[in-house]
């Protein structure tokens, strides 16, 4: 079942992120600050500019996505942004990502967004692309137009 995230889900979301970081060899410099994240998740749950949707199976969160609505700084267009998406590794080849994506697309439409953007990125300790990036790219290019890149350099 896909549903809106609730305060009681926060610890389950943190468990998902712990799994993501351990599976993907997330560099120390980019690991999640759990206290910072928890505070932002709580703010996001009450903010009308944010929406968090979760996929729950057998009382376990196996996927979630975070969307936000913003306005361009150079014109008045309102847009949606998929700011985070997690899918449990065992669920990767199923339609979970598409279900979460579709839920956020509907919400963006309700918020009068004119378009959506997603800037997915994941990298290794040496700031090279993680192996899962190709799967992420395939998912998004099936749902969106590729119009740019994300560049990163360790300092």
């Amino acid at each position: 079942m896909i549903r809106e995230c609730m305060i009681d889900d926060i610890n389950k979301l943190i468990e998902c992120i712990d799994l993501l970081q351990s599976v993907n060899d997330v560099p120390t410099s980019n690991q999640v600050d759990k206290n910072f994240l928890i505070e932002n998740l709580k703010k996001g749950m009450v903010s009308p500019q944010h929406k968090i949707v979760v996929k729950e199976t057998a009382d376990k969160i196996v996927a979630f996505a975070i969307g936000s609505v913003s306005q361009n700084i150079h014109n008045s267009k309102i847009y949606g942004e998929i700011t985070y998406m997690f899918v449990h590794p065992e669920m990767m080849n199923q339609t979970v990502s598409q279900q979460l994506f579709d839920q956020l697309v509907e919400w963006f439409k309700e918020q009068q967004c004119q378009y959506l953007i997603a800037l997915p990125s994941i990298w290794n300790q040496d700031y090279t692309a993680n192996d899962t990036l190709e799967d992420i790219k395939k998912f998004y290019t099936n749902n969106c137009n590729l119009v740019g890149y994300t560049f990163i350099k360790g300092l």
Side-chain angles (χ1 to χ4, degrees):
M1 165 178 68
I2 293 187
R3 61 173 175 75
E4 206 163 328
C5 188
M6 299 178 294
I7 278 289
D8 294 343
D9 295 327
I10 288 179
N11 287 335
K12 293 176 185 177
L13 297 182
I14 298 298
E15 289 172 12
C16 292
I17 289 171
D18 284 342
L19 176 64
L20 176 71
Q21 291 186 148
S22 68
V23 168
N24 288 308
D25 187 32
V26 174
T28 306
S29 62
N30 198 39
Q31 286 189 357
V32 171
D33 176 333
K34 291 178 190 173
N35 291 326
F36 182 77
L37 177 64
I38 288 169
E39 287 307 309
N40 281 308
L41 288 171
K42 287 178 182 176
K43 289 177 189 173
M45 286 181 202
V46 297
S47 168
Q49 283 88 19
H50 301 289
K51 185 168 187 106
I52 305 170
V53 291
V54 300
K55 168 76 173 183
E56 190 173 43
T57 303
D59 201 34
K60 180 179 178 185
I61 292 178
V62 295
F64 70 94
I66 302 172
S68 60
V69 173
S70 299
Q71 186 172 23
N72 282 330
I73 60 171
H74 59 279
N75 62 33
S76 62
K77 291 185 178 180
I78 296 174
Y79 66 94
E81 181 177 0
I82 297 176
T83 56
Y84 202 93
M85 187 180 295
F86 165 82
V87 178
H88 192 284
E90 294 174 5
M91 306 290 282
M92 285 290 195
N93 294 328
Q94 298 182 25
T95 61
V96 177
S97 298
Q98 190 66 52
Q99 293 169 0
L100 293 171
F101 181 88
D102 292 345
Q103 282 280 70
L104 288 178
V105 165
E106 286 307 310
W107 181 68
F108 293 147
K109 288 177 182 177
E110 291 168 9
Q111 304 307 306
Q112 307 301 308
C113 294
Q114 294 176 305
Y115 60 91
L116 78 83
I117 63 172
L119 304 170
S121 59
I122 186 165
W123 58 86
N124 299 315
Q125 291 282 2
D126 62 354
Y127 297 99
T128 57
N130 187 280
D131 292 341
T132 60
L133 194 57
E134 280 306 309
D135 291 335
I136 294 169
K137 181 180 176 183
K138 182 179 176 186
F139 171 78
Y140 279 107
T141 53
N142 286 337
N143 287 285
C144 303
N145 296 318
L146 179 62
V147 295
Y149 298 94
T150 300
F151 296 95
I152 184 167
K153 176 183 173 78
L155 302 175

